[in-house]
């Protein structure tokens, strides 16, 4: 019984339509690459989560987190003018 409502999203229908015109070996390769990309993104996410957990438990600064006084609009990094001996930081 067809109700007139598609069960798949438009992206899925386009993906299947494009793959339908390709030979089987290309379809399998494309699907394998998509699965590999999804698994690789999961692995990267888990590795980052583990690194953050280890750093927080060890009391180390978190990777990618801003350090006090080293980020934001006031931090110029290598573009900061050289400080003279008489100057004191604000």
């Amino acid at each position: 019984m067809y109700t007139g409502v598609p069960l798949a999203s438009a992206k899925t229908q386009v993906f299947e339509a494009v793959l339908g015109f390709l030979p089987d070996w290309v379809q399998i390769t494309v699907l394998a690459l998509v699965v590999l990309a999804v698994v690789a993104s999961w692995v990267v996410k888990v590795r980052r989560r583990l690194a953050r957990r280890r750093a927080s438990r060890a009391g180390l600064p978190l990777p990618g987190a801003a350090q006090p006084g080293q980020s934001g609009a006031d931090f110029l990094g290598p573009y900061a003018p050289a400080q003279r001996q008489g100057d004191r930081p604000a």
Side-chain angles (χ1 to χ4, degrees):
M1 172 170 97
Y2 183 70
T3 61
V5 178
L7 298 177
S9 69
K11 286 190 268 184
T12 303
Q13 290 176 346
V14 169
F15 186 70
E16 289 176 357
V18 169
L19 283 181
F21 290 109
L22 299 173
D24 287 342
W25 66 272
V26 175
Q27 291 180 15
I28 293 169
T29 304
V30 168
L31 290 174
L33 288 174
V34 168
V35 169
L36 181 66
V38 168
V39 170
S41 70
W42 288 346
V43 168
V44 168
K45 186 187 298 185
V46 168
R47 289 185 67 199
R48 286 183 184 163
R49 186 178 302 156
L50 287 174
R52 289 183 66 87
R53 181 182 297 161
R54 286 182 185 143
S56 67
R57 287 185 177 180
L60 300 173
L62 297 177
Q67 300 300 318
Q70 295 197 1
S71 66
D74 294 331
F75 180 65
L76 299 176
Y79 302 103
Q83 290 198 0
R84 292 177 261 159
Q85 287 184 348
D87 290 346
R88 60 180 180 94

